[in-house]
Amino acid sequence: MRSAAVAMLLVTAACGKTGVSAGADAGAGAGADVDADAGADAGAGAETGPCPDDMVHVDASFCPDVERHCLDMEHEEKNNLQICHAFAHETHCRTDERRIDFCIDRYEYPNRKGGHPPWMLDWYQAQATCESKGKRLCMASEWTAACEGPEHTPFPYGWERDHDKCNSDNFYIDPKKPGPKAQFFFYSKDPDVAFKELSRLDQSVPSGSMETCKSGFGVYDMPGNFDEWAINDGPPREKSKWVALKGGAWGHVRSQCRPTTYSHEPEFTYYFVSFRCCRDADGAPPEAKWTPSSDAIPAPSVEPHDFAPDPIVPIDAPGPSKTKFSRTGHRE
């Protein structure tokens, strides 16, 4: 870690003025409080504005490519990551801003406060589940815009990384497998074996339980908690094709609004990978509907199907670790 050095991190971020309405109150100001229980029944929200009342309406000016200055950079050796702990309080937009107008789930799927996001679903299953609710997975740029909020900050809560505000920087529990060349137990075809191991590894918090982990638009748990499937709306990278993972999970990883993981194929499943859904906003003008770049690989169509019909109730899950990674990479 180079906490004393001033590093420059080139990332993409939002900039410009923003208009927003949140959930049921389509005319609410940016960052306005929303009814925390409005998402009690995802997929059953009444149409009271541009979005169902279990979703947040984001209508913003978005910059696809910005420059930010990192003031406190850590090189995380295990995963070869650059983790920024503090940014200068400014962004420079390196391209033209565009209006972005869409609806996004307030919570991770199943979009219920206090719920537990599904695990071990691949991209196709996540997309099919969103489609079964009349929604879709979010495009990566939509996800980022909702996370950065009207103030266009690199974290939903501001400019400095804080693992007390979102569920991140936990010390992982090592997965187990029956032998050196065997699959992890959480991949077991025996559902009881897999569920027991998934529960043992689960360091998540209930959706919406951390009020400090809420963007200025009122969207919860975007960085940290679970990694979330999205649609890559830019050129294909690595093995990901048309898919992206946003937000990081509960470990010592990126846990910002902008960074995206492209190292997994659409068939990938894992114990801390989940998703949330988006959809087009009713009445949004054509120019505000976000479209992927011309270099993007179009996401394939899937048959709508609910792959997560039952609530997940882990067995004696440990939850977040009592100690967290600090800037030194050691326990606090």
Side-chain angles (χ1 to χ4, degrees):
M1 176 180 14
R2 303 176 181 86
S3 60
V6 177
M8 176 179 288
L9 182 67
L10 299 182
V11 296
T12 49
C15 57
K17 295 183 179 179
T18 303
V20 60
S21 57
D25 185 359
D33 262 341
V34 294
D35 180 3
D37 296 319
D41 189 1
E47 298 283 348
T48 56
C51 304
D53 64 3
D54 65 334
M55 303 185 82
V56 170
H57 180 215
V58 176
D59 182 1
S61 179
F62 182 75
C63 178
D65 185 14
V66 308
E67 177 181 321
R68 281 203 181 111
H69 295 269
C70 180
L71 304 177
D72 184 359
M73 181 71 79
E74 172 193 352
H75 177 68
E76 198 279 315
E77 294 184 0
K78 183 177 181 180
N79 297 301
N80 193 28
L81 296 175
Q82 296 293 101
I83 298 176
C84 185
H85 289 270
F87 288 91
H89 291 204
E90 61 181 359
T91 61
H92 171 64
C93 188
R94 302 171 65 199
T95 187
D96 293 335
E97 298 173 25
R98 291 172 55 191
R99 184 179 173 188
I100 187 168
D101 190 346
F102 65 99
C103 307
I104 185 169
D105 282 351
R106 187 169 290 116
Y107 308 108
E108 292 169 315
Y109 196 86
N111 197 22
R112 295 186 179 96
K113 185 171 184 178
H116 189 290
W119 44 31
M120 303 302 291
L121 296 185
D122 65 24
W123 183 92
Y124 300 100
Q125 293 168 321
Q127 176 78 326
T129 302
C130 286
E131 292 276 1
S132 74
K133 307 301 180 184
K135 304 176 183 179
R136 55 172 170 78
L137 287 174
C138 306
M139 283 182 271
S141 294
E142 293 175 325
W143 197 102
T144 299
C147 180
E148 291 183 331
E151 300 301 321
H152 315 300
T153 54
F155 305 96
Y157 47 79
W159 298 89
E160 290 79 35
R161 182 184 180 99
D162 187 343
H163 53 227
D164 292 323
K165 291 186 175 178
C166 288
N167 183 27
S168 61
D169 289 338
N170 294 286
F171 282 84
Y172 283 114
I173 299 167
D174 291 332
K176 294 180 180 178
K177 53 176 134 180
K181 296 183 179 180
Q183 286 273 37
F184 289 118
F185 280 121
F186 61 80
Y187 284 121
S188 174
K189 294 181 180 179
D190 183 329
D192 291 333
V193 171
F195 194 84
K196 182 179 179 180
E197 177 69 352
L198 288 165
S199 296
R200 187 186 72 84
L201 297 171
D202 188 9
Q203 295 179 266
S204 69
V205 297
S207 292
S209 62
M210 298 183 73
E211 282 294 322
T212 51
C213 193
K214 179 172 68 171
S215 79
F217 291 144
V219 187
Y220 287 80
D221 303 317
M222 300 200 78
N225 219 36
F226 278 84
D227 228 350
E228 298 183 19
W229 283 119
I231 298 169
N232 177 17
D233 52 346
R237 300 266 302 276
E238 302 178 50
K239 297 186 291 185
S240 67
K241 301 177 184 178
W242 59 84
V243 311
L245 281 166
K246 296 289 292 181
W250 52 70
H252 189 54
V253 289
R254 57 193 186 276
S255 300
Q256 299 172 26
C257 295
R258 281 285 162 167
T260 305
T261 293
Y262 301 102
S263 56
H264 301 295
E265 63 279 357
E267 298 82 7
F268 178 72
T269 61
Y270 212 58
Y271 66 95
F272 54 63
V273 171
S274 196
F275 63 98
R276 77 178 69 224
C277 304
C278 283
R279 54 157 270 189
D280 296 345
D282 294 338
E287 66 272 14
K289 181 179 178 180
W290 196 259
T291 54
S293 75
S294 58
D295 297 325
I297 297 178
S301 59
V302 298
E303 187 72 22
H305 180 80
D306 187 355
F307 283 95
D310 301 319
I312 291 178
V313 183
I315 303 169
D316 297 326
S321 60
K322 290 183 173 60
T323 58
K324 308 278 188 176
F325 274 95
S326 68
R327 280 183 171 82
T328 64
H330 302 295
R331 294 180 186 270
E332 289 186 332

